[in-house]
Amino acid sequence: MNSLHKTIFKDQVAQQIWTDYLSQVELLCVMLNQRQTADIQMELRAHLLESYTQLSSGSEAERIQSAINKLGQPSEFIPLWVEERLLEGTMPGSGTRNLLNLFKINALKGVKQFIFSMLIGFGYLLAFYFFLSAVLKIFFPEYIGVYLSSSNILFIGYVDSEGFTELLGYWLIPVGLGVAVSLQMFLNKILTRKIGRH
Amino acid sequence: MYFMDTDVLNDQLNKWKLQLRKGVLLHMTMSLLNKEEMYGYALISFLSKKMNADMAEGTIYPLLNRMVRDGIIRFEWRIMQSGPARKYYQITPQGQQLLKQMHQHWQLINKNLQVLNNE
């Protein structure tokens, strides 16, 4: 049991209501780190206990339930709070961890946003693929390149058989790096534009 | 002449009140924190009374978090002699600057509204 859930009520029903509430909060904070989760729980705990002590009538269970009703169900406000915490320190181009946080936020906002996030994720993979191809071209110039097959299919990657025409040669290195960087910057911009909408 | 149904009228009024409340929540929170530093429960209790509204108390926390992220308020955890620790929020110099501009804008809206009503 989390130390923040520790027994504070004599009445078992009240204690159960309290534990259930904080467990729900904890569950909704799953994307946050331990420090951020504890911060939210501590603030809610202080809020609920103060609200509880302000109520003079009723049993312990009735009073804590009333305090919870006033505060609201975790699903009503914790997701937004979690979103805010995930955005902390997230500014355009401020690092992979923050971009990952923005990715998580978008992915959890419904089917449309999930598909959008998948496309963005695919874009990042593509940028990485261009970057990798450019780097590998330095070490394996005969096998890595932009090729045209005999059936006129263009592709970038590894080839060790006959029947392919290499198109870019060593130009793949600057072109690949350029495409990778441009694509990454473009995707970062799209993803971080979401901040302004919060 | 068209007479609006009372229910429709009340519905419109409630919608307008809700929009207004959303709009002024940030302003009121900052005004309060400009007077004194406060913790979540005290802040929401005061706001509920002043805004004469039954707000789910939890809704203030994402807003406070966003204000911290924007650098217009900051917080400090304090150990209390009795009871759990409290997270106190206080306005920052940037927040005070923003509040000043918000006051000016609010006064302008108010003045324009009065002029419009007196015409």
Side-chain angles (χ1 to χ4, degrees):
Chain A
M1 187 190 278
N2 186 316
S3 62
L4 289 166
H5 300 193
K6 67 185 177 190
T7 307
I8 50 169
F9 297 98
K10 288 174 195 158
D11 180 355
Q12 278 192 344
V13 180
Q15 183 62 36
Q16 193 58 49
I17 293 170
W18 171 259
T19 308
D20 287 349
Y21 190 85
L22 290 181
S23 298
Q24 280 180 56
V25 170
E26 199 175 357
L27 204 65
L28 289 166
C29 291
V30 72
M31 288 204 311
L32 300 178
N33 63 37
Q34 224 173 359
R35 186 186 56 81
Q36 289 171 319
T37 305
D39 193 66
I40 288 179
Q41 284 185 314
M42 275 168 68
E43 194 160 16
L44 288 182
R45 189 175 184 270
H47 183 116
L48 281 172
L49 286 177
E50 178 142 8
S51 182
Y52 167 82
T53 50
Q54 300 293 322
L55 300 162
S56 47
S57 61
S59 67
E60 280 190 336
E62 283 166 354
R63 284 158 67 200
I64 192 62
Q65 189 58 60
S66 172
I68 284 173
N69 292 345
K70 286 202 296 179
L71 181 61
Q73 286 307 306
S75 58
E76 290 170 22
F77 65 98
I78 297 289
L80 196 58
W81 199 351
V82 167
E83 209 172 284
E84 287 296 331
R85 296 305 303 251
L86 284 172
L87 283 169
E88 273 170 16
T90 308
M91 295 304 286
S94 63
T96 314
R97 204 188 69 184
N98 290 327
L99 285 169
L100 193 65
N101 282 341
L102 286 172
F103 186 82
K104 280 188 206 169
I105 292 164
N106 281 310
L108 291 172
K109 277 188 163 179
V111 177
K112 207 171 151 188
Q113 290 290 2
F114 180 77
I115 294 169
F116 168 79
S117 294
M118 287 298 108
L119 287 174
I120 292 282
F122 178 74
Y124 277 114
L125 278 178
L126 200 64
F128 179 69
Y129 187 71
F130 272 99
F131 172 78
L132 194 67
S133 300
V135 171
L136 288 176
K137 180 72 182 171
I138 301 167
F139 301 103
F140 309 101
E142 312 95 88
Y143 304 111
I144 303 292
V146 179
Y147 295 98
L148 191 67
S149 73
S150 50
S151 51
N152 279 334
I153 296 170
L154 186 77
F155 73 96
I156 306 164
Y158 176 85
V159 160
D160 66 348
S161 57
E162 300 290 317
F164 293 92
T165 313
E166 193 181 353
L167 298 178
L168 280 180
Y170 280 101
W171 279 103
L172 173 62
I173 299 167
V175 170
L177 290 176
V179 170
V181 170
S182 308
L183 191 56
Q184 199 204 356
M185 282 168 70
F186 173 70
L187 294 168
N188 284 1
K189 203 169 177 180
I190 291 180
L191 206 51
T192 47
R193 264 179 67 190
K194 295 279 169 192
I195 297 172
R197 295 183 191 170
H198 284 278
Chain B
M1 196 173 174
Y2 176 73
F3 290 97
M4 203 182 253
D5 183 83
T6 319
D7 288 344
V8 177
L9 195 74
N10 283 337
D11 191 41
Q12 288 290 327
L13 185 65
N14 288 336
K15 275 183 190 165
W16 176 77
K17 278 182 180 174
L18 189 70
Q19 290 295 325
L20 190 66
R21 200 162 65 217
K22 276 184 187 170
V24 298
L25 188 59
L26 176 72
H27 194 171
M28 287 196 87
T29 305
M30 286 179 67
S31 296
L32 267 175
L33 292 176
N34 194 39
K35 283 191 180 138
E36 58 179 314
E37 45 185 36
M38 286 178 125
Y39 56 97
Y41 180 79
L43 191 69
I44 191 73
S45 302
F46 201 86
L47 282 171
S48 297
K49 277 179 207 153
K50 289 286 169 194
M51 294 174 89
N52 193 23
D54 260 343
M55 305 158 61
E57 294 173 347
T59 54
I60 195 73
Y61 291 108
L63 174 72
L64 287 170
N65 207 102
R66 186 194 301 189
M67 291 165 76
V68 170
R69 183 161 60 82
D70 290 343
I72 53 178
I73 60 168
R74 59 174 167 250
F75 69 85
E76 185 182 59
W77 276 103
R78 289 196 194 147
I79 308 292
M80 310 310 292
Q81 282 190 330
S82 63
R86 283 176 183 163
K87 193 176 183 179
Y88 274 86
Y89 295 91
Q90 50 197 234
I91 199 162
T92 63
Q94 293 101 302
Q96 283 172 327
Q97 227 173 343
L98 177 67
L99 182 63
K100 202 176 159 188
Q101 288 174 354
M102 285 167 87
H103 275 323
Q104 284 169 354
H105 192 70
W106 182 258
Q107 279 168 352
L108 185 73
I109 291 174
N110 213 1
K111 194 178 143 193
N112 286 341
L113 198 62
Q114 279 177 353
V115 170
L116 202 68
N117 286 335
N118 291 334
E119 272 175 4

